[in-house]
Amino acid sequence: MDVRQLRCFIAVAEELHFGRAAERLGVAPPALSRQISALEDELGVALLTRTTRQVAMTRAGLIMLEEAKGILVKMEHASRAVREASLASGKVLRVGAIDAASSSFVPEALMAFRARFPGVEIKFVEAMTAALVQMLEAGKLDLALTRPPRKPTDCAFEILRVERPIVVLHEDHPLAARDHLTMLDLVGEPFVVPSKRIRPYAYDLVMAYFESVGAVPNVTIEATEKPAMMSAVAAGLGMALAPDWVSRLSFPGVTMRRLRGAMLDPPPPGALVGVSWRPQQKLPSRDDFLAILRESVTLLDERHVLPPVSSKPQKRTARTGSPIGGA
C-alpha cells in the first residue's frame, strides 16, 4: 500500500466515476484502474463494485475511505512539520506567484528583498491560484501572490493590486484606429476568451465586463495561456480582453487599446491580485518580504496605462506589428 494508491482510491470513492477521478488526478483512466486493483489485491478485499454504468462503494470500501483520509492527513502533517523545522533558521524563502504577479511587480520586489537580505535563498514557482493555495496549505510555500481563494482556507489574503482591462485586437482591425474603446464597442465582435475550466477567474472576469453592458461575448475560441490568446488575435480569430500587465508584451500583428469605463465596482475577484500566507506559521523572512510588497506595490499601476494612438501614419514592415498602444 502506497500513497499514490490511497490518493487514487479516495478520488474514485469521492467521484464515484473513474473518468472524473482520472481527470481530477491528471492520470489516464486505465492507470487509475490499475492502482485501485493493486490496492484491492494487497488488501484481499473489494473496495468498489463496478458496472458499465456506475461505481459504488462496498462496506469495506467505506471503512477504507475514512482510514485512507486519516493516513494522508497524518502524513501531510508530518511532512509539514519536518519542512517547517528545516526552515526555522529563515535562510530560505519559498515564493509562488500567478502569471499576473510574476509578469508585473514580483521581479522588483524580489530584487529589493535580495538587496536587503542577501543571506536568504529564494525559491520561486509559478502556478495558478488553486495550486498555489494548496501548496501553502501543505507547507510547501511560505507566501504566494494569488487571486482571492475560491474555497475556504486557513490562509490569510490581502489585496495588493486591482488590474484594469485593455483590449487586444488585430492591428488592421477598424477599431485599432481609435484612442480608446468602450465595452459597447466590443459587443458582437468575434472574441477570444480564457478557458472556463483552466482559467475560471479570467473567464468570469470577461463575462462580468460584458454583463455590465447587458451583453455576452461572441465567443470564437477559448485560449488557456496568454501566448495562445495573442496568437488567436494575430490570426484574425477575434479580439480579447486582457489585464493591464499584458501591455508589456509584444506580438506581431497585435495591438492594444485602452478600455474606458470598465473598472467595475466592486472589482470582480479576477481583477484582484493579492498575497496569501499562513499567519499561524512564524517566519521572519516571509514577514520581511510581506513588508516589501506592502511598500512597493501600488493598488493601480500607472505604468500600465497605454499611450494615446499617434495620428501620424506609421511605416510598416512585414509582420512586425505596431508597438504596444499603437504609438
Side-chain angles (χ1 to χ4, degrees):
M1 184 188 308
D2 60 35
V3 174
R4 183 172 178 81
Q5 291 174 343
L6 295 180
R7 293 190 188 281
C8 289
F9 169 68
I10 291 172
V12 174
E14 291 180 342
E15 298 289 345
L16 292 179
H17 191 282
F18 273 82
R20 290 194 297 268
E23 182 178 358
R24 168 175 156 181
L25 296 173
V27 300
L32 178 62
S33 182
R34 287 194 295 271
Q35 292 289 340
I36 300 298
S37 296
L39 179 60
E40 290 177 321
D41 290 344
E42 184 173 344
L43 294 173
V45 63
L47 301 175
L48 305 166
T49 59
R50 310 162 177 83
T51 69
T52 56
R53 294 187 176 183
Q54 65 179 6
V55 176
M57 301 283 290
T58 65
R59 178 180 173 82
L62 291 171
I63 295 173
M64 186 61 194
L65 177 60
E66 295 304 313
E67 294 294 332
K69 287 182 177 179
I71 291 171
L72 291 187
V73 167
K74 290 179 181 179
M75 292 185 66
E76 193 58 59
H77 285 171
S79 298
R80 182 186 296 174
V82 171
R83 284 192 294 266
E84 291 183 357
S86 69
L87 295 167
S89 63
K91 297 300 182 182
V92 177
L93 177 66
R94 302 165 304 168
V95 179
I98 59 174
D99 57 359
S102 61
S103 299
S104 54
F105 59 83
V106 166
E108 295 175 3
L110 289 176
M111 289 177 60
F113 181 84
R114 293 194 65 176
R116 295 187 198 180
F117 307 99
V120 178
E121 179 187 359
I122 298 172
K123 295 187 176 181
F124 182 81
V125 62
E126 182 177 292
M128 296 184 190
T129 292
L132 292 173
V133 172
Q134 288 178 358
M135 294 173 72
L136 274 175
E137 292 175 328
K140 298 177 181 179
L141 287 177
D142 304 318
L143 173 147
L145 290 309
T146 68
R147 305 288 184 192
R150 284 178 173 263
K151 298 180 179 179
T153 174
D154 62 354
C155 298
F157 178 79
E158 180 179 326
I159 296 172
L160 293 174
R161 172 160 295 165
V162 179
E163 296 174 334
R164 287 177 286 196
I166 57 175
V167 183
V168 182
L169 67 166
H170 194 279
E171 61 182 0
D172 292 330
H173 194 287
L175 291 177
R178 300 188 188 180
D179 179 51
H180 67 268
L181 301 171
T182 68
M183 282 305 305
L184 290 176
D185 294 323
L186 311 185
V187 175
E189 292 283 345
F191 232 79
V192 181
V193 301
S195 168
K196 183 177 182 179
R197 184 174 67 87
I198 304 299
R199 295 279 187 176
Y201 280 101
Y203 177 87
D204 290 347
L205 187 59
V206 172
M207 296 301 148
Y209 290 140
F210 275 92
E211 288 171 6
S212 70
V213 292
V216 294
N218 174 22
V219 178
T220 58
I221 189 171
E222 288 191 1
T224 301
E225 303 294 340
K226 294 298 184 295
M229 176 195 75
M230 302 286 269
S231 295
V233 174
L237 299 180
M239 59 176 60
L241 283 178
D244 48 18
W245 61 266
V246 174
S247 64
R248 292 187 174 188
L249 306 178
S250 181
F251 206 88
V254 171
T255 190
M256 304 177 196
R257 293 293 177 267
R258 292 173 290 181
L259 186 64
R260 179 169 293 178
M263 287 291 288
L264 304 182
D265 188 13
L272 304 176
V273 182
V275 56
S276 299
W277 73 97
R278 293 175 57 235
Q280 63 271 35
Q281 183 184 29
K282 306 303 179 184
L283 288 176
S285 59
R286 180 213 52 208
D287 293 339
D288 290 333
F289 190 63
L290 270 173
I292 289 175
L293 289 171
R294 289 164 177 157
E295 292 171 7
S296 60
V297 181
T298 56
L299 195 62
L300 292 171
D301 189 355
E302 296 299 330
R303 292 172 299 177
H304 287 155
V305 176
L306 293 168
V309 179
S310 172
S311 59
K312 297 179 181 180
Q314 300 177 41
K315 184 177 180 181
R316 297 262 307 270
T317 57
R319 301 308 298 164
T320 57
S322 55
I324 295 291

